[in-house]
Amino acid sequence: MKAVVITESGGPEVLQLKEVEDPTVGDDEVLIKVAAAGLNRADAYQREGGHPPPKGCSPYPGLEVSGTIVSFGRNVSPGSPWNIGDQVCTLLGGGGYAEKVAVPAAQLLPVPEGVSLRDAACIPEVACTVWSTVFMTSHLSPGESFLIHGGSSGIGTFAIQISKYLGIKVFVTAGSEDKLQACKDLGADVCINYKKEDFAARIKEETEGKGVDVILDNMGGSYLQRNLDSLSIDGRLFILGFQGGTTAELNLSPLLAKRLTIQAAGMRARSPENKAKIVKEVEKNVWPAIVAGKVKPIVYKTFPLAEAAEAHRLLETSSHVGKLLLIP
């Protein structure tokens, strides 16, 4: 098969399409013929040498795909519940930038009714990330308020839609008026241009000093103090990225005064058992919203697999809204 290989650590130019061996299918896995692969920021970190795949996972980048089941491992039986030819989408530990990929059967999701096979590749990573962090861990609930940094990203556009579906007031930050308009069109209640105003001051103004209940943050160090200042009593900050650095000088007093919680986690390094649990929760809680048309995959642009480097160049500009896809 053909796959995108990281020839050495570096910029997008190190991504090259090469002929490689087909994946080995484990006993509890299925083999998927890939229809589309979603791009994620973690793919760029891996390319740069900073985010290696978990032990036993494919060395090729790509954390989510959609496609068709073509074979089963020894412990996966037809009708359990999958069959050859089923159209699925799935989380991966790696290997999505390829024509075929092996994946644990417990991580599979059916392509939701009303969503194309191609577009389904947009869903697994963002849905599992947002549901496992904001809802399963931070317990964001109907009637609460929620600040999403990077509202126009793949995670952001999904988080806006699922939160509005569940009756949550949504605040977002983004860096251009076009991106803010896209967030508003998806249902965001308050849209803040972080390049033109201090988001913490705006949150304080909009909430009459109360703050928001939950914040989903991709910046880390550079936003940490302002995030804590923006939370309400019993507020929860969930950090899932460090685009603004990993260190910060912090005034801890808001933690005590407001009973705040800081949480952080990624998706890739979780155990297969933990991923399987998250996938079940996502199918139960998120899939009905997608089938109802209340949550839609947002595809900004597709690229042929051979143009992975060009796709990464666009990914790193952060000028897109929603998700980028590679098509084998």
Side-chain angles (χ1 to χ4, degrees):
M1 70 170 185
K2 289 184 171 64
V4 174
V5 176
I6 301 172
T7 56
E8 60 180 322
S9 298
E13 69 281 355
V14 306
L15 298 174
Q16 295 183 17
L17 188 64
K18 294 192 174 186
E19 193 75 26
V20 301
E21 294 293 324
D22 281 0
T24 299
V25 182
D27 289 347
D28 298 310
E29 295 183 330
V30 303
L31 183 66
I32 294 174
K33 179 183 178 183
V34 176
L39 272 70
N40 291 278
R41 183 73 60 170
D43 303 340
Y45 297 153
Q46 179 180 346
R47 189 201 73 222
E48 293 168 347
H51 194 57
K55 184 178 180 180
C57 290
S58 169
Y60 312 127
L63 301 177
E64 60 184 342
V65 299
S66 60
T68 304
I69 296 175
V70 293
S71 69
F72 291 144
R74 185 179 303 174
N75 295 338
V76 184
S77 302
S80 60
W82 307 107
N83 290 293
I84 302 297
D86 282 352
Q87 294 188 340
V88 295
C89 55
T90 184
L91 279 179
L92 302 170
Y97 290 17
E99 294 177 326
K100 302 173 189 174
V101 67
V103 59
Q107 291 172 206
L108 298 175
L109 286 156
V111 172
E113 181 182 343
V115 176
S116 71
L117 179 59
R118 184 203 75 168
D119 288 2
C122 291
I123 303 173
E125 183 74 17
V126 295
C128 291
T129 296
V130 172
W131 194 262
S132 65
T133 56
V134 174
F135 295 97
M136 293 174 68
T137 306
S138 294
H139 303 294
L140 180 63
S141 303
E144 289 193 313
S145 54
F146 179 31
L147 170 60
I148 306 162
H149 290 301
S152 61
S153 67
I155 282 177
T157 54
F158 173 84
I160 292 168
Q161 294 180 83
I162 193 64
S163 299
K164 293 309 299 179
Y165 172 76
L166 294 171
I168 292 156
K169 185 171 184 178
V170 174
F171 300 73
V172 300
T173 63
S176 74
E177 297 308 313
D178 288 346
K179 288 182 177 181
L180 292 172
Q181 185 60 52
C183 293
K184 184 176 181 180
D185 292 344
L186 290 172
D189 298 285
V190 179
C191 301
I192 304 166
N193 188 330
Y194 67 84
K195 292 181 178 179
K196 294 184 177 180
E197 57 182 324
D198 176 14
F199 73 81
R202 180 74 181 278
I203 292 294
K204 185 175 182 180
E205 175 189 339
E206 293 284 346
T207 62
E208 298 180 343
K210 175 179 177 290
V212 296
D213 296 295
V214 174
I215 298 175
L216 185 61
D217 175 54
N218 60 347
M219 295 302 293
S222 63
Y223 275 19
L224 185 54
Q225 187 69 61
R226 284 184 290 165
N227 279 332
L228 297 183
D229 294 342
S230 299
L231 284 168
S232 65
I233 301 294
D234 293 318
R236 291 86 77 195
L237 167 63
F238 206 105
I239 300 171
L240 48 71
F242 299 107
Q243 294 181 41
T246 57
T247 61
E249 184 174 333
L250 183 65
N251 177 0
L252 292 170
S253 59
L255 283 169
L256 185 65
K258 296 194 288 184
R259 303 190 298 271
L260 304 181
T261 302
I262 301 175
Q263 300 159 315
M267 179 58 61
R268 188 179 199 181
R270 293 175 186 259
S271 68
E273 294 77 15
N274 187 236
K275 288 179 180 178
K277 178 182 178 182
I278 292 167
V279 163
K280 285 183 179 179
E281 289 295 313
V282 165
E283 185 172 2
K284 175 184 175 182
N285 294 286
V286 175
W287 252 229
I290 298 174
V291 171
K294 301 299 184 182
V295 176
K296 299 177 181 179
I298 308 297
V299 180
Y300 183 80
K301 190 173 182 179
T302 64
F303 294 83
L305 198 56
E307 296 180 12
E310 192 61 34
H312 269 230
R313 290 185 184 98
L314 177 56
L315 177 72
E316 293 182 333
T317 68
S318 296
S319 61
H320 57 292
V321 172
K323 296 283 288 187
L324 306 174
L325 295 178
L326 292 175
I327 310 297

